[in-house]
Amino acid sequence: MKKRILTMLVLLMTAVTGAWAESKPIGLNVEYEVGDEITSTTDVYVYYGEQSGTLKKMGVKITSTQPLTISMIFDDSFEFNGDDAVYYLPDGVATGGSAGAIPCVGESTGDATVVHVASGSGTLADPYVFAPGSASSASAGYTVSMKEGTEDADKWTINPNPAAEGQTVTATYSGTRRVKSVKAVKKSAAKTLAEVTAGDIGKIVGKDGKIYATKADAEAVATGNAVAMIAYVGTASDCTHGLAIALADESDTKKYGDAGTACSGKEAVTGGTWRLPSEKDWQYIFIGCGSSESYSAPTEGMKKSYSGLASKLTTAQGDALQAECYYWSSTESNPGSHAWGVYIYGGGNAEFYAPNEGNAFRVRACLAFTVEQSAPTGNIVDLSTLTGNYEAQNGEVLTGTLAGNYKISIADGATVTLDGVTINGVNDINYEWAGITCLGDATIILSGTNTVKGFYEDYPGIQAAAGKTLIINGTGSLTASSYGYATAIGGGSGVACGDIEIQGGTITATSGGLGAGIGGGYNASCGNITISGGTVIATGGNNSAGIGGGYNASWGNITISGGTVTATGGQYGAGIGGGKRGPASFSCGNIIISGGTVTATGGDNAAGIGGGRGNNNKNFSSCGDITITTGVTEVTATKGSDATNSIGAGYYGTCGTVTIGGNVGAITTSPYTYQPSN
């Protein structure tokens, strides 16, 4: 059967710098434009010079019928590295000789005309052209691919591909079927990571940050372009970012301390950030790929379904996770010694365990990216129209400025979006409530700019219900504050608060009196405080921490695993940790900082990170263990006047074990900065 040659003209309209595609001979001092084809009347091959000066043939031929298309033109300020030298030589030139001794058709020196930048392995990357005085850049054209589902798709050859606008593309079929017609259809522009939706789970992410239906589509743009598969797209109630999983493991097993570096050091992807998956990332990846389970805090032997992820990776032509193997997560269960790992069973289940960090396990990177948030959807409640107290329900969007002195609360278990909310409470005993009162577990999603201030001085800007959890997330901002004895976010005077989790958003929290910026109010306990993302600026009132305890207030564990955090204690309060102790006793938790950028400044007699001032030499303030791991970007701690430690106990205080990057001991230097990379 003879080959059938069918010609289709690609009529794809776009702005292109320069004229329509034109064939021009290879040579010095030729004026080229984007889209031009480089041709030769004789067979000319591409060679590249190594840094040592030896030549290697790349096997790329240029002739009048096999041209190369220009995609980029640089001006004469563009510089090439030593291993980027590329030569166009007649076939038969002996490789291994000195590059300087070979007469070249073109070379990457000051008078070069055509240059293709090559990797050290000789793999041809996108074509680049050096043409002094003709600087411009534009699309090389369009990638041409067969429609998904085309029979015998592997028996079609498309040339040239990619193609410039207006260029004739020839599709050659070498199979045995009868071809009735060929139609060229313009596809819509590829999505970027920021435009991904849940319907894109299973699709491929390219290094260019574009989303492709298949691995083949991504590789058609450039060899090695396909790097990850969309595995999870967050919703307003659980996660504001998306996650893609790498198509393959890292090259070898690694100890915990090296696993994160291997992931963050991968070649950059436009719009995304490579990282070692946290235990939460792993669970959301499983959920996004079909697991029916919901997220839960990890426990030894906890099972989650892996079969959905395995199936999608196979369909995407990625490598499945290795059965009967551990994979590291970035989440430490016992900082400095044990971290959570995921053990993959062949039967489709994954189990969570916390092995010793000295073990060498497999590593699979994930790509985190931010999804552009569309306008909030749900029942919109304009606070300016209220005539009385209001309890927000699940899925509602609050907006507008509260016109009266009404109590705004969030129902137990509800997720509520704040979108341009202003609540300016008045310090009046007739209004004994917070700016927003959470009646139980609550999730607040931030959209736009929001301001919330508590009402009477004993109540916070946003009150987290005792024994429950308040989650704050989103891409908007929140400015929260309080009057006399309460926190900006947390509890009030004698009003205990539950756990607080900040996952995203830009949050400024300022206490007006004897409460922490985020945490406990005056003489009242606070639960655990967790910050995993976003930008947080927290300032404590007198005798109170920026993040942690208020005056004479107990607090649970403080964990920071991501984001940018700035915490400043009031007089006698730590930046992160405890407030001043009064005559009564109080308990305090541990402080664990395993990620992000943290700046903490203590008030008088208080540590930047650790304890506040004790009452006297009999009533000491206390602080649990303080652990700062190598996973952080930077941590800076400054002690207050007359304080002993920047990280550790406050004046008239005690502290547990201080461990920084594996080194044990309190820090007296002030200010003190810890950067693992240093």
Side-chain angles (χ1 to χ4, degrees):
M1 176 72 66
K2 294 182 179 179
K3 293 183 179 179
R4 292 178 172 82
I5 300 178
L6 303 104
T7 300
M8 50 185 177
L9 181 63
V10 182
L11 298 174
L12 306 175
M13 302 306 295
T14 187
V16 177
T17 302
W20 289 87
E22 183 177 355
S23 293
K24 296 180 180 179
I26 186 170
L28 299 177
N29 302 317
V30 178
E31 291 290 334
Y32 294 105
E33 295 181 349
V34 171
D36 284 350
E37 296 176 343
I38 308 301
T39 63
S40 174
T41 56
T42 60
D43 290 355
V44 177
Y45 288 78
V46 179
Y47 290 71
Y48 74 99
E50 296 184 304
Q51 287 181 326
S52 62
T54 60
L55 288 172
K56 286 191 175 180
K57 181 180 177 181
M58 297 175 62
V60 178
K61 183 169 66 174
I62 305 174
T63 69
S64 59
T65 58
Q66 289 184 290
L68 290 179
T69 303
I70 297 175
S71 65
M72 188 82 67
I73 299 178
F74 297 94
D75 61 21
D76 53 8
S77 65
F78 187 82
E79 297 181 358
F80 293 94
N81 296 324
D83 61 346
D84 287 335
V86 179
Y87 303 82
Y88 295 81
L89 308 171
D91 194 22
V93 174
T95 59
S98 170
I102 304 295
C104 302
V105 177
E107 63 183 56
S108 60
T109 58
D111 62 352
T113 303
V114 182
V115 173
H116 283 258
V117 180
S119 70
S121 64
T123 303
L124 191 66
D126 289 337
Y128 292 89
V129 172
F130 186 95
S134 181
S136 64
S137 65
S139 170
Y142 302 89
T143 299
V144 183
S145 60
M146 304 304 296
K147 182 179 179 181
E148 189 172 354
T150 299
E151 295 181 359
D152 282 358
D154 59 335
K155 293 182 172 58
W156 286 89
T157 302
I158 300 172
N159 186 52
N161 192 16
E165 181 180 359
Q167 187 174 9
T168 298
V169 175
T170 301
T172 305
Y173 176 62
S174 59
T176 59
R177 296 175 180 271
R178 180 181 179 183
V179 179
K180 293 182 178 180
S181 64
V182 175
K183 181 181 180 181
V185 179
K186 179 181 177 180
K187 289 186 176 180
S188 58
K191 282 185 177 181
T192 64
L193 281 170
E195 298 168 325
V196 163
T197 65
D200 295 312
I201 291 175
K203 293 183 179 179
I204 299 298
V205 181
K207 289 179 184 176
D208 53 8
K210 303 289 181 62
I211 309 305
Y212 299 90
T214 66
K215 183 177 181 181
D217 288 343
E219 294 290 297
V221 174
T223 301
N225 187 43
V227 293
M229 182 195 79
I230 301 293
Y232 177 81
V233 179
T235 60
S237 62
D238 52 27
C239 190
T240 58
H241 63 263
L243 296 169
I245 188 168
L247 294 177
D249 291 349
E250 295 305 295
S251 57
D252 52 19
T253 58
K254 302 182 186 301
K255 295 182 179 180
Y256 173 79
D258 298 323
T261 302
C263 295
S264 61
K266 291 175 70 67
E267 186 174 352
V269 172
T270 303
T273 302
W274 286 113
R275 70 188 187 199
L276 180 65
S278 66
E279 58 82 13
K280 183 173 285 189
D281 289 340
W282 275 118
Q283 291 194 56
Y284 278 130
I285 286 171
F286 295 152
I287 292 168
C289 290
S291 171
S292 60
E293 298 119 341
S294 58
Y295 172 78
S296 56
T299 57
E300 287 283 337
M302 180 180 74
K303 290 184 173 63
K304 296 290 181 179
S305 174
Y306 156 68
S307 58
L309 174 61
S311 175
K312 289 190 180 298
L313 278 171
T314 300
T315 301
Q317 295 183 301
D319 295 340
L321 301 180
Q322 292 290 316
E324 315 302 329
C325 289
Y326 277 105
Y327 283 80
W328 280 121
S329 87
S330 64
T331 308
E332 292 184 288
S333 62
N334 187 6
S337 64
H338 292 77
W340 288 107
V342 180
Y343 187 80
I344 304 299
Y345 280 101
N349 283 327
E351 291 191 6
F352 284 78
Y353 292 96
N356 190 287
E357 294 177 359
N359 291 311
F361 294 140
R362 302 194 73 86
V363 177
R364 179 71 66 101
C366 76
L367 186 73
F369 55 91
T370 300
V371 179
E372 291 180 352
Q373 299 295 308
S374 56
T377 58
N379 181 36
I380 297 177
V381 179
D382 187 345
L383 300 184
S384 68
T385 65
L386 298 180
T387 58
N389 298 339
Y390 187 79
E391 181 179 316
Q393 302 300 309
N394 186 47
E396 290 188 335
V397 179
L398 304 185
T399 188
T401 300
L402 186 64
N405 296 320
Y406 306 130
K407 182 177 181 179
I408 304 300
S409 55
I410 297 176
D412 186 11
T415 294
V416 173
T417 297
L418 304 185
D419 185 21
V421 163
T422 299
I423 299 175
N424 287 318
V426 295
N427 189 10
D428 189 324
I429 197 171
N430 292 307
Y431 309 109
E432 295 187 71
W433 50 72
I436 294 177
T437 303
C438 300
L439 302 178
D441 291 326
T443 297
I444 293 176
I445 304 301
L446 302 178
S447 179
T449 302
N450 303 279
T451 301
V452 179
K453 188 167 188 175
F455 283 81
Y456 185 54
E457 63 185 14
D458 287 348
Y459 293 88
I462 298 178
Q463 182 176 336
K468 301 292 184 177
T469 300
L470 166 63
I471 297 173
I472 301 177
N473 208 337
T475 57
S477 67
L478 168 66
T479 299
S481 59
S482 65
Y483 291 101
Y485 298 92
T487 65
I489 301 173
S493 175
V495 180
C497 76
D499 295 341
I500 301 169
E501 295 184 15
I502 297 176
Q503 300 175 355
T506 300
I507 298 169
T508 301
T510 305
S511 170
L514 298 176
I518 299 173
Y522 171 66
N523 203 30
S525 64
C526 174
N528 300 318
I529 301 171
T530 302
I531 300 174
S532 59
T535 299
V536 178
I537 301 172
T539 304
N542 288 339
N543 302 309
S544 302
I547 299 174
Y551 177 47
N552 204 50
S554 301
W555 44 277
N557 296 327
I558 299 173
T559 302
I560 300 174
S561 61
T564 300
V565 179
T566 302
T568 304
Q571 185 180 34
Y572 304 138
I576 298 173
K580 180 184 176 183
R581 176 180 172 177
S585 62
F586 64 83
S587 62
C588 56
N590 301 318
I591 300 173
I592 303 167
I593 304 176
S594 61
T597 299
V598 177
T599 303
T601 304
D604 295 346
N605 300 164
I609 301 173
R613 186 187 191 279
N615 187 44
N616 52 44
N617 60 4
K618 293 183 180 180
N619 296 315
F620 284 86
S621 66
S622 64
C623 175
D625 294 339
I626 301 173
T627 303
I628 301 175
T629 76
T630 57
V632 302
T633 301
E634 180 178 290
V635 174
T636 299
T638 303
K639 63 186 177 184
S641 63
D642 298 323
T644 303
N645 302 303
S646 292
I647 303 178
Y651 190 72
Y652 286 144
T654 62
C655 183
T657 302
V658 176
T659 306
I660 302 175
N663 298 313
V664 177
I667 301 296
T668 59
T669 303
S670 183
Y672 169 79
T673 297
Y674 173 63
Q675 290 180 307
S677 59
N678 292 343

